[in-house]
Amino acid sequence: MKGRKKYLIVSICIFVIFIFCFSFLNGRSHQGQIETFTFVKKFLADDTGVKEVLVATGKNLGVITLVPIIITVILAFVLNDVLLALIVGILTGYAIWGASFGTGSTISKIGEVFGLSFQTIFHVATDPFNLQIFGVCFTIGGMVELIHSNGGFAALADSLRRRIDSPKKAALTAQLMGSCLFFDDYANVLITGPTMQTITDSQGISREKLAYIVDSTAAPVAGMVVVSSWISAELVAIKTGLDLAGVHASAYNQFVGSLPYRTYNFMALFLIFITIILGREYGPMLYAERRARITCKRCKQEVLESHDEKIEKGCIWSALLPIITLIIYSVIGFYVDGMSQAIKAGVIDKNAGFSFSYIHLSFSYANTVKIIIQAALLGAVVALVMGCFTKKLKFRAGLKAWLKGAQSIFSTVFVLVLAWCLAKVVGLLGTAYYLVDLVSANVPYYLLPVVIFITCCVISFVVGSFGCMAIVMPIALPVVYSAVQSSGLGYAEQFVFASIAAVLSGAVFGDNCSPITDTTILSSVGAGCPNIDHVKTQLPYALTAAISAAIFGFLPAGFGISPFISLVGCTISCLLTLLFIGKKI
């Protein structure tokens, strides 16, 4: 869509939204007028005193709280521009908020909308944790560009090209690499994508398929292993839910018990594997793959030569050593830093030595983001030394390459900031509380796992995985334990495990297919694929895995059926879907 047409559509949307909000929503919250800037400041600072207002706002506004997300997603697909869609979504959210709570005239309320939007952007962009996430993106981006410039990726591609002589082998290698980088989803997508681009291009695999492989491997794997940056957020969410339910139990044991029930994660990984093995696709991915195969067949030699002309091949270890260094430093760093923090917290005795039994505790207390930044910087140093050692890169040229790689992430970081801002606005409107209240009202106990899973799929699509876990788990677990006590279930423990898995699995769904969640955005960047193209091609597969997990996984779990039987049912369901709907590339 041409630029002028885009801006015209956006302008019309904003105008209509403002007219609607300030004409029909004035005082809709019934909470009375409040000092909006003060309240939003408290909300952004995670003040617990604002929760009651958020819950009431979500209930009073009802379905209107979904409007910012609906508008954002629709505009993202129509305009093919996530950035503009996010801006409109943020303004829409604050227009609804301002119409409900703002004081003064309509003009002053409109001024408040823009003022609150800038306040939120500034808060998100300067948040210490978010700054660390930016650091991860910049440092890994710089390291990847260094490896590219010293000829490491070209040498790796040339070496693998002799062994990987088919699209099937190339795609399986990408999934294997993504599975090996299990310790962090951000590092996973930013390393696997650029590393595999040359290989997958040469074998006629579309960038959309590569983005799908990277995205649907990273979060599902990271969410299920104890040696990852996810474990801390998952255990905190479970512990908070257990405390609110008044239950004294180990959050780690609950996490481990939930693993067999994580059917969405398993199906997301299985679908990648089976599409590769059978060579069948469906939906927009089928056309993307056919286009890539035709393009590759026509100009395969030109593609290979163009890659080799840009960068002179270096030493294969110029690529492997920096990545191996990053992985080893990260895993050891997680353990050492986490152990130190756990000792300070009094969880582990200071005289305790190395023990495998303490691994999950150490990883749950580690500052994983800080460790990954350090690991990426060390990997960049190794890449620079290898470039100088092999005489493929001079020191000054290496520094310029690192800066070039870091700068290439700036546009992505800006999209991330806006995506997190939209999540904040949606949180301010109480959307999650409205959804939970909507779907959990008068639900029979045996439907709780599947209802929780579906709810989390929707919420994670809006606010991302970590936000979904933090919001839903503390609400879901008290409800689940109350249902267990009142119904006298004979399979109470399994029921709780399935409910926890429903939250954690549903939280992954949004990371896999929402155009406004961080992992989706970074996956498209890592694979060199436009964000919306990635979402369009991946969404049918994410929905297939989710529907299968809901019907054959979490629904039977509510009746006490073994998770292993459910996994067989899910597997057969996904396989039949691919065989009947999918077509040969």
Side-chain angles (χ1 to χ4, degrees), residues 82 514-517 520-522 524 529-536:
V82 177
S514 173
I516 54 176
T517 53
T520 306
I521 294 168
L522 292 175
S524 57
C529 168
N531 182 266
I532 292 300
D533 290 349
H534 168 41
V535 173
K536 287 177 181 176

Side-chain angles (χ1 to χ4, degrees), residues 158-274:
D158 185 65
S159 176
L160 291 176
R161 200 178 294 140
R162 300 168 193 164
R163 300 170 177 81
I164 300 174
D165 53 3
S166 68
K168 184 183 296 185
K169 289 181 181 179
L172 287 174
T173 302
Q175 186 178 25
L176 177 62
M177 184 175 184
S179 301
C180 292
L181 295 172
F182 52 79
F183 56 90
D184 181 73
D185 54 335
Y186 289 172
N188 193 328
V189 299
L190 289 173
I191 291 174
T192 305
T195 302
M196 292 301 302
Q197 274 183 28
T198 304
I199 302 299
T200 52
D201 285 353
S202 67
Q203 295 302 325
I205 294 176
S206 65
R207 293 290 178 90
E208 291 91 337
K209 180 70 174 182
L210 177 59
Y212 163 55
I213 294 171
V214 167
D215 198 358
S216 285
T217 301
V221 170
M224 291 194 295
V225 297
V226 297
V227 189
S228 79
S229 57
W230 277 57
I231 186 67
S232 176
E234 291 174 316
L235 292 183
V236 167
I238 295 172
K239 182 68 169 60
T240 304
L242 291 173
D243 290 344
L244 290 173
V247 176
H248 299 287
S250 166
Y252 177 74
N253 290 339
Q254 302 293 308
F255 169 80
V256 173
S258 72
L259 289 177
Y261 294 92
R262 303 283 286 275
T263 44
Y264 174 77
N265 297 50
F266 290 122
M267 289 307 102
L269 295 169
F270 175 72
L271 266 175
I272 299 172
F273 179 76
I274 201 67

Side-chain angles (χ1 to χ4, degrees), residues 188-369:
N188 193 328
V189 299
L190 289 173
I191 291 174
T192 305
T195 302
M196 292 301 302
Q197 274 183 28
T198 304
I199 302 299
T200 52
D201 285 353
S202 67
Q203 295 302 325
I205 294 176
S206 65
R207 293 290 178 90
E208 291 91 337
K209 180 70 174 182
L210 177 59
Y212 163 55
I213 294 171
V214 167
D215 198 358
S216 285
T217 301
V221 170
M224 291 194 295
V225 297
V226 297
V227 189
S228 79
S229 57
W230 277 57
I231 186 67
S232 176
E234 291 174 316
L235 292 183
V236 167
I238 295 172
K239 182 68 169 60
T240 304
L242 291 173
D243 290 344
L244 290 173
V247 176
H248 299 287
S250 166
Y252 177 74
N253 290 339
Q254 302 293 308
F255 169 80
V256 173
S258 72
L259 289 177
Y261 294 92
R262 303 283 286 275
T263 44
Y264 174 77
N265 297 50
F266 290 122
M267 289 307 102
L269 295 169
F270 175 72
L271 266 175
I272 299 172
F273 179 76
I274 201 67
T275 55
I276 296 170
I277 294 298
L278 296 181
R280 302 176 78 92
E281 305 285 354
Y282 55 91
M285 186 71 80
L286 176 64
Y287 302 104
E289 282 293 270
R290 284 178 172 174
R291 182 201 67 224
R293 294 291 198 278
I294 293 170
T295 304
C296 179
K297 191 173 182 180
R298 287 177 179 172
C299 54
K300 186 171 182 178
Q301 192 58 40
E302 293 177 17
V303 170
L304 297 180
E305 289 174 356
S306 66
H307 278 291
D308 292 338
E309 285 173 5
K310 290 178 183 177
I311 298 294
E312 184 181 350
K313 283 182 287 188
C315 172
I316 189 172
W317 288 104
S318 296
L320 295 180
L321 278 182
I323 296 174
I324 292 172
T325 300
L326 185 146
I327 295 171
I328 293 175
Y329 185 94
S330 295
V331 174
I332 294 175
F334 288 174
Y335 181 83
V336 173
D337 182 72
M339 180 68 75
S340 174
Q341 298 301 323
I343 291 172
K344 288 180 182 178
V347 178
I348 299 176
D349 186 82
K350 64 179 180 180
N351 296 319
F354 173 81
S355 172
F356 285 103
S357 63
Y358 289 143
I359 288 179
H360 70 275
L361 280 174
S362 61
F363 273 68
S364 64
Y365 277 87
N367 187 339
T368 53
V369 177

Side-chain angles (χ1 to χ4, degrees), residues 82-127:
V82 177
L83 195 64
L84 281 176
L86 286 169
I87 292 172
V88 176
I90 293 168
L91 292 175
T92 302
Y94 272 123
I96 294 171
W97 172 262
S100 302
F101 288 107
T103 58
S105 64
T106 299
I107 298 299
S108 65
K109 287 182 180 180
I110 293 176
E112 283 184 343
V113 169
F114 286 95
L116 291 170
S117 299
F118 285 120
Q119 178 183 343
T120 306
I121 292 172
F122 178 78
H123 172 85
V124 169
T126 57
D127 180 81

